[in-house]
Amino acid sequence: MSARVLATAIAAWMLAGCGQPAGAPMEPADPPGPALLFAAGHGDLNVAERGQVFGATGLAVAPDGKSLIDGICGEPAGATVEFRDMNADGRQETLVVYGNSCTSGHTGSTAVLFIRDAAGNLRANLGFPAASADPLPEKNQGYPDLLIGGPGFCFGVWRWNGSAYEYLRNEPQMPGGCDEVKP
């Protein structure tokens, strides 16, 4: 076997091992911040989109290079990323729950949901203190209503209006949970 054939075979094998088809250009590595945020996986986001999502959080890489800090107080910040195809279009939406008490007050985290617009560009939704954004069975224009968790016993429900999620109603998490909350 010639050296050229051997080199081509090795390159094809290495690319196949990375999930890339033979002959496809390799995607560049993530910068440190997106690499930390998406360490558990990146769904169907490309490197530029992962950078966009990371930038929207306002987080930074801690001096140790192994964790995240908030960009306001410089304190340790947590972050989780979930991928869901919420509207069954074959593309995943990206939910990031991140932060700490400096960025998000008593709730301790903020939720941002990235949804693709008609052109395929990511658009941020929500973006306020929340511990979770859980899909409910009810849907509007293909997207599920979202139960937005936080401290206390009264959670908000948000509904898709065709271009963004907007507040719909409060939902008590126990009898009387929303009695003292004004709409």
Side-chain angles (χ1 to χ4, degrees), residues 19-174:
Q20 297 285 330
M26 290 189 63
E27 185 177 58
D30 282 323
L36 285 169
L37 182 62
F38 293 99
H42 53 76
D44 62 7
L45 299 177
N46 64 39
V47 69
E49 292 168 335
R50 293 190 298 272
Q52 176 188 350
V53 169
F54 178 75
T57 67
L59 298 175
V61 177
D64 67 6
K66 298 176 184 177
S67 59
L68 299 171
I69 57 174
D70 70 76
I72 300 169
C73 299
E75 297 295 322
T80 61
V81 180
E82 295 178 34
F83 302 100
R84 306 175 186 151
D85 183 2
M86 295 171 56
N87 64 341
D89 68 351
R91 300 289 311 255
Q92 298 172 331
E93 284 69 39
T94 305
L95 174 67
V96 182
V97 178
Y98 68 93
N100 56 28
S101 60
C102 178
T103 63
S104 311
H106 184 62
T107 305
S109 58
T110 293
V112 179
L113 176 64
F114 292 88
I115 297 175
R116 293 185 186 281
D117 63 17
N121 300 310
L122 294 175
R123 299 288 176 230
N125 280 265
L126 308 177
F128 50 79
S132 61
D134 299 315
L136 295 171
E138 300 83 19
K139 290 189 175 202
N140 190 52
Q141 300 185 41
Y143 284 89
D145 290 353
L146 297 175
L147 181 67
I148 307 298
F153 301 106
C154 186
F155 290 1
V157 175
W158 289 62
R159 174 167 281 177
W160 181 251
N161 69 11
S163 60
Y165 270 95
E166 60 185 14
Y167 172 79
L168 178 64
R169 68 176 187 277
N170 287 329
E171 190 163 301
Q173 300 304 294
M174 62 179 275

